[in-house]
Amino acid sequence: MKVLVPVKRVVDFNVKVRVKADGSGVDLANVKMSMNPFCEIAVEEAVRLKEKDIVTEVVVVSIGPKQAQETIRTALAMGADRGILVETDQMVEPLAVAKVLAKIVEEESPEMVILGKQAIDDDSNQTGQMLAALLGWPQGTFASELVKESDHILLTREIDGGLQTLKLNLPAVITTDLRLNEPRYASLPNIMKAKRKPIDVKDSGDFGVDFTPRLEVVETSEPEGRKAGVILEGVDELVAKLKNEAGVI
């Protein structure tokens, strides 16, 4: 079974994001970039399925600038077999990403697509659902556990008040949540091996997808600074502040 894992290059989650002076967006100059954390979980799950001999090949695909090859190399060092880069310097919205991925699925014919539920830069949480709709495949979102049985997948997801288990016939699209696994650190030997694994670079224009943005960013601003806390004398003062100042009781 072949698995396709889309990954995204984003600002590293440890970096404090800076907003441009004109408020037009986030300043990416000299900022550390890395793989989206939810994408790391997706890669890890695909590699684990391969280690269990359920999956035979893990193909990683990214849509972005030339530097996104570094993100693909990280996935290859984690255990993926080969990579595909759809090169573009444009900002690509979820629908365009889903359309490109749908065409790659037609070329690669995987039995499963595993991707992060969202990217930490735009938090759209849309690509997986849009891809499933375009392909006409069943989808399972926010997976916290995956079990392969015969020709189907049992997917457990957290919902309000408990857990829900879905049975998905293959092929299927799956999006990963935080509790699915803990991604491994790539070892030095695997990092060296990853340099020899193939990455197929494709031009975004070859897919016939319109990348014209459908959304306009009106303004980007920093969150308000947190106010300093105060030390209260007792419960009565706390209740008074909650009632009179916060208005929550």
Side-chain angles (χ1 to χ4, degrees):
M1 182 169 70
K2 182 192 294 186
V3 172
L4 188 73
V5 185
V7 297
K8 187 176 184 181
R9 178 177 181 262
V10 299
V11 176
D12 189 270
F13 72 95
N14 288 309
V15 172
K16 179 176 172 55
V17 174
R18 303 189 307 270
V19 175
K20 293 179 181 178
D22 61 0
S24 61
V26 173
D27 187 1
L28 300 180
N30 301 315
V31 173
K32 181 184 178 183
M33 308 292 283
S34 62
M35 189 190 305
N36 176 51
F38 289 102
C39 297
E40 285 187 315
I41 294 170
V43 173
E44 174 67 25
E45 192 64 22
V47 171
R48 290 188 185 189
L49 291 172
K50 183 184 175 185
E51 291 171 344
K52 295 175 182 177
D53 294 327
I54 296 172
V55 168
T56 55
E57 185 180 26
V58 177
V59 182
V60 177
V61 57
S62 188
I63 303 170
K66 184 178 181 181
Q67 295 88 333
Q69 289 194 39
E70 300 170 8
T71 305
I72 295 175
R73 291 290 178 199
T74 300
L76 296 178
M78 291 174 66
D81 297 292
R82 59 187 175 90
I84 300 171
L85 173 62
V86 180
E87 192 170 333
T88 178
D89 290 324
Q90 291 182 258
M91 292 294 292
V92 189
E93 294 180 349
L95 180 58
V97 172
K99 288 180 177 180
V100 171
L101 291 177
K103 291 183 179 296
I104 293 176
V105 167
E106 291 178 4
E107 295 176 0
E108 294 289 334
S109 300
E111 284 75 29
M112 195 187 315
V113 179
I114 305 178
L115 64 163
K117 69 172 185 178
Q118 65 193 75
I120 62 172
D121 54 358
D122 58 17
D123 279 330
S124 292
N125 182 18
Q126 295 173 338
T127 303
Q129 293 88 327
M130 289 177 170
L131 177 60
L134 291 171
L135 295 174
W137 287 8
Q139 62 174 298
T141 56
F142 316 135
S144 60
E145 183 180 2
L146 286 180
V147 178
K148 172 72 165 58
E149 290 189 354
S150 184
D151 61 346
H152 62 268
I153 292 284
L154 293 181
L155 180 148
T156 301
R157 61 200 299 266
E158 296 180 6
I159 59 174
D160 291 342
L163 300 175
Q164 181 184 59
T165 300
L166 305 177
K167 178 181 177 181
L168 303 176
N169 293 324
L170 295 175
V173 175
I174 293 167
T175 71
T176 61
D177 210 342
L178 284 172
R179 293 174 181 79
L180 181 58
N181 60 52
E182 184 174 344
R184 70 192 69 191
Y185 289 101
S187 64
L188 182 59
N190 286 340
I191 292 173
M192 300 305 294
K193 290 177 183 177
K195 294 181 179 180
R196 298 191 295 272
K197 293 181 179 179
I199 296 179
D200 185 11
V201 179
K202 299 176 181 288
D203 188 273
S204 59
D206 296 340
F207 292 88
V209 175
D210 182 10
F211 285 1
T212 303
R214 290 170 167 78
L215 300 175
E216 178 186 356
V217 177
V218 177
E219 183 183 0
T220 305
S221 59
E222 298 262 5
E224 293 184 6
R226 296 181 62 181
K227 297 179 180 179
V230 295
I231 297 177
L232 305 179
E233 295 296 331
V235 175
D236 291 340
E237 188 178 356
L238 172 61
V239 172
K241 283 188 174 290
L242 291 174
K243 183 177 181 180
N244 302 325
E245 295 181 18
V248 295
I249 60 174

